[in-house]
């Protein structure tokens, strides 16, 4: 039998129905919150990947710049060497030309002095 302290059955049924309704109301809110959290987590993961990709690209660009700088220095050195070689070649050709001119002059002189005797 029911004692006077026990709540009546209908009151329990009402309380249970209210709790059920509250949980039914709360469940979609919780699911929505969970979905939002997981979406934020995915967005963060995507951002992290994008940041990592940007960092990789920056590192690659820095390496490329360093390589180009080195290549540029090599080109500059090679150009200096070529300029030096060209100058040497020009001096050598000029000397040779002067020698040939001197030789032809001396042979002309010999011809003329030989002819005047």
């Amino acid at each position: 039998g029911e004692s006077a302290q026990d709540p009546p059955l209908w009151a329990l049924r009402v309380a249970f129905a209210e709790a059920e309704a509250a949980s039914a109301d709360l469940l979609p809110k919780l699911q929505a919150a969970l979905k939002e959290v997981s979406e934020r987590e995915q967005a963060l993961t995507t951002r992290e990947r994008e940041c990592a990709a940007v960092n990789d690209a920056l590192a690659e660009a820095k390496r490329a710049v360093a390589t180009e700088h080195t290549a540029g220095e090599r080109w500059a050195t090679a150009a200096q060497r070529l300029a030096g070689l060209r100058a040497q070649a020009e001096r050598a050709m000029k000397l040779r030309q002067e020698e040939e001119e001197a030789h032809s002059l001396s042979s002309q002189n010999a011809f003329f002095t030989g002819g005047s005797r």
Side-chain angles (χ1 to χ4, degrees), residues 2 9 13 17 20 23-24 33 37-38 46 50 53 57 59 62 67 75 78 89-92 95 104-105 111 113:
E2 293 181 13
L9 197 55
R13 284 195 181 128
E20 212 174 16
S23 70
V37 166
S38 73
T46 305
E50 286 168 359
K62 281 182 187 170
T67 303
W75 275 110
E90 281 172 2
R91 279 197 296 274
L95 280 172
S104 67
L105 271 177
F111 173 77
T113 52

Side-chain angles (χ1 to χ4, degrees), residues 1-81:
E2 293 181 13
S3 69
Q5 283 89 1
D6 286 336
L9 197 55
W10 64 266
L12 283 174
R13 284 195 181 128
V14 168
F16 182 75
E18 283 173 356
E20 212 174 16
S23 70
D25 185 47
L26 195 61
L27 187 64
K29 288 179 182 167
L30 280 172
Q31 285 172 333
L34 184 65
K35 189 183 172 196
E36 194 181 333
V37 166
S38 73
E39 281 171 1
R40 279 192 195 158
E41 198 178 14
Q42 280 178 330
L44 273 175
T45 305
T46 305
R47 290 244 177 91
E48 280 173 359
R49 278 198 210 109
E50 286 168 359
C51 284
V54 167
N55 282 341
D56 288 348
L58 274 174
E60 187 61 41
K62 281 182 187 170
R63 278 196 295 272
V65 165
T67 303
E68 272 182 38
H69 183 71
T70 307
E73 284 177 343
R74 283 193 197 134
W75 275 110
T77 306
Q80 281 177 336
R81 275 195 206 132

